Amino acid sequence: MSNNNFKLYRILGITGALLTLVIPFFLWLNNAGNKLDSEQSFCPLKATTGFPCMSCGITKSIVYFYDGNIIKSLSYHLFGPLLVGFCLFVIVILAIELKTQKVYFRKWILNRKSAYYLVAVLFVYHCIRIILLVRQNTWDDILQQSIWK
């Protein structure tokens, strides 16, 4: 990999991780009275079907993590606080890589086996969320979360 691509990939990685942290931060600043609880989801799947996608709730989870409400954060998405930690880790590691021009943790971060495990865990978690959603709500309640209210 050329030196320019090395720098570009690190800068893009840092930018992506920062955006993942900053967008919920601005939502948190404007979340007076927990109005985010009643806001329509940004997810196109949830808006059209009423069913959440695998990542639905992560933004709200991060917002409530910033607010210090860990229980509420985890209730929106189990992976929200973990994503905050991962993004901070990525920012630090990529900044160090930019400075030292060396690659660290490549075999763990860019590993297909790790990615498959993560997707499998996320899929199982998502299935559990869907089962609980269907068991705890009527079809009308689920439809209320869509644009077809």
Side-chain angles (χ1 to χ4, degrees):
M1 178 181 340
S2 74
N3 192 33
N4 285 340
N5 283 344
F6 180 87
K7 287 181 180 180
L8 177 65
Y9 292 153
R10 269 81 196 149
I11 291 170
L12 289 174
I14 291 169
T15 303
L18 280 172
L19 284 173
T20 301
L21 296 174
V22 168
I23 291 170
F25 179 76
F26 285 119
L27 290 172
W28 173 68
L29 290 176
N30 294 314
N31 192 29
N34 293 333
K35 69 177 182 179
L36 208 64
D37 288 344
S38 59
E39 292 287 325
Q40 178 69 35
S41 175
F42 296 126
C43 177
L45 181 68
K46 189 168 185 177
T48 55
T49 66
F51 287 98
C53 72
M54 284 188 188
S55 64
C56 270
I58 286 185
T59 303
K60 288 181 182 179
S61 177
I62 294 171
V63 167
Y64 288 108
F65 179 77
Y66 289 161
D67 201 39
N69 194 338
I70 304 300
I71 301 299
K72 195 169 191 176
S73 172
L74 293 172
S75 74
Y76 275 106
H77 203 290
L78 192 63
F79 288 91
L82 297 173
L83 184 61
V84 171
F86 180 74
C87 286
L88 292 172
F89 173 76
V90 165
I91 291 167
V92 170
I93 291 301
L94 293 180
I96 291 170
E97 286 184 3
L98 272 173
K99 182 73 173 164
T100 63
Q101 297 291 305
K102 293 181 182 177
V103 177
Y104 304 99
F105 299 106
R106 170 175 248 149
K107 67 179 176 180
W108 291 291
I109 294 176
L110 299 176
N111 182 326
R112 279 187 193 208
K113 194 173 183 180
S114 298
Y116 290 144
Y117 283 129
L118 179 63
V119 168
V121 168
L122 187 58
F123 181 75
V124 169
Y125 173 65
H126 181 63
C127 289
I128 292 168
R129 287 175 71 194
I130 294 293
I131 291 168
L132 291 174
L133 177 74
V134 170
R135 281 188 171 178
Q136 295 172 352
N137 295 285
T138 66
W139 290 109
D140 287 336
D141 292 338
I142 294 170
L143 196 57
Q144 283 295 318
Q145 296 185 29
S146 72
I147 57 174
W148 311 110
K149 303 176 190 182

